[in-house]
């Protein structure tokens, strides 16, 4: 009888974990962090965590991603930025940009454009999300928990990447209709290249419908439940991230999904 009760308890905990993970796409429902959720011990291909802020307790955040929930701590030295909407004329030469849109004839027509300041004089990035994450699987190739979509399925609320292209690089010029950039244009459908492609001169066209955002300096007051967070830092033996920087942005269509990040 004791063995049966123990098996039933384990099954209930597993189901509760899967249901809580599915709430990542809804900022109104993720208000606390269940004790049974993973703490982010899975392998990552970038040093940090990315997802919905599910809870805040003192200087510790619980960040829910598509494959794990990660504890993130911050301190007075942590650089905190917030993504806000800006006009094209606020973009300057030397800024770092990440754009998504459609490409034709070497020109990417952007539906969204994100701007950030260079880090240590560089706009380097190793993937379209700015965190070194590849396409088609969890970060670092780890195995997601039971119940998480696999086999190429998109999580609920994540945008469809079919037919979309990405551009990243450093702004070299600004016109009324777009940007000149030293960088590269990529396509998720092409898969991960065997080596990083070389930067070259590319053009990004904008329109009245292009959403342009920029990372601006903020404070711990921006770290609230229901916002999206991208934290960079090192993990301890339990998987807790000690953040050196945290970027906060609003969910898109109620989901953190696959947000385009600024080059880091």
């Amino acid at each position: 009888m004791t063995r049966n009760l123990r098996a039933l308890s384990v099954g209930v905990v597993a189901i509760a974990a899967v249901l809580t993970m599915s709430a990542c796409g809804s900022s109104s429902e993720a208000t606390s962090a269940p004790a049974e959720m993973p703490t982010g011990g899975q392998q990552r291909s970038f040093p940090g965590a990315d997802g919905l802020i599910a809870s805040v307790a003192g200087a510790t955040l619980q960040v829910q991603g598509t494959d794990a929930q990660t504890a993130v701590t911050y301190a007075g030295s942590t650089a905190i930025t917030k993504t806000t909407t800006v006009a094209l004329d606020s973009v300057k030469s030397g800024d770092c940009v990440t754009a998504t849109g459609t490409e034709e004839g070497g020109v990417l027509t952007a539906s969204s454009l994100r701007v950030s300041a260079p880090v240590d004089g560089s706009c380097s990035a190793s993937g379209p999300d700015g965190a070194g994450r590849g396409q088609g699987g969890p970060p670092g190739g780890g195995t997601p928990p039971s119940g998480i979509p696999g086999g190429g399925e998109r999580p609920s609320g994540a945008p469809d990447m079919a037919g979309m292209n990405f551009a990243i690089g450093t702004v070299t010029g600004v016109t009324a209709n777009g940007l000149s950039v030293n960088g590269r244009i990529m396509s998720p459908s092409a898969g991960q290249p065997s080596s990083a492609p070389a930067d070259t001169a590319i053009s990004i066209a904008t329109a009245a419908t292009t959403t342009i955002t920029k990372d601006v300096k903020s404070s711990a007051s921006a770290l609230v439940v229901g916002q999206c967070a991208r934290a960079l830092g090192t993990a301890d033996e339990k998987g807790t991230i000690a953040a050196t920087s945290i970027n906060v942005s609003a969910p898109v269509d109620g989901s953190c999904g696959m947000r385009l990040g600024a080059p880091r």
Side-chain angles (χ1 to χ4, degrees), residues 168-263:
I168 59 174
T170 305
V171 177
T172 57
V174 183
T175 69
N177 300 310
L179 307 171
S180 298
V181 173
N182 182 48
R184 53 194 182 271
I185 298 176
M186 301 172 290
S187 172
S189 61
Q192 290 282 58
S194 57
S195 60
D199 289 346
T200 187
I202 60 175
S203 297
I204 299 176
T206 60
T209 56
T210 303
T211 301
I212 305 175
T213 57
K214 188 172 186 177
D215 296 342
V216 298
K217 186 176 180 180
S218 188
S219 66
S221 62
L223 305 175
V224 297
V225 171
Q227 292 291 289
C228 301
R230 177 178 285 111
L232 299 182
T234 56
D236 63 16
E237 67 279 1
K238 295 182 179 179
T240 299
I241 301 295
T244 56
S245 68
I246 303 175
N247 174 257
V248 183
S249 61
V252 177
D253 296 330
S255 171
C256 293
M258 179 182 172
R259 298 168 294 122
L260 285 179

Side-chain angles (χ1 to χ4, degrees), residues 97-103 108-114 128 159-161 163-168 186 188 204-205 210-211 258-260:
V97 292
T98 305
T100 181
T102 56
E103 184 268 340
L108 185 133
T109 300
S111 56
S112 65
L113 179 70
R114 187 167 175 179
D160 187 354
M161 296 291 106
M164 297 187 71
N165 296 94
F166 302 91
I168 59 174
M186 301 172 290
I204 299 176
T210 303
T211 301
M258 179 182 172
R259 298 168 294 122
L260 285 179

Side-chain angles (χ1 to χ4, degrees), residues 13-118:
V13 169
I15 293 172
V18 170
L19 290 176
T20 304
M21 287 296 291
S22 67
C24 290
S26 174
S27 60
S28 62
E29 295 178 6
T31 57
S32 62
E36 294 81 9
M37 290 294 293
T39 57
Q42 286 111 323
Q43 288 184 328
R44 298 179 181 83
S45 57
F46 76 103
D50 189 7
L52 184 78
I53 300 177
S55 73
V56 181
T60 300
L61 313 177
Q62 292 291 337
V63 178
Q64 287 184 343
T66 57
D67 68 332
Q69 177 162 303
T70 306
V72 175
T73 62
Y74 64 91
S77 59
T78 303
I80 301 174
T81 57
K82 186 174 182 178
T83 302
T84 59
T85 302
V86 298
L88 180 62
D89 59 12
S90 71
V91 183
K92 309 297 182 185
S93 292
D95 284 342
C96 304
V97 292
T98 305
T100 181
T102 56
E103 184 268 340
E104 185 175 356
V107 177
L108 185 133
T109 300
S111 56
S112 65
L113 179 70
R114 187 167 175 179
V115 186
S116 68

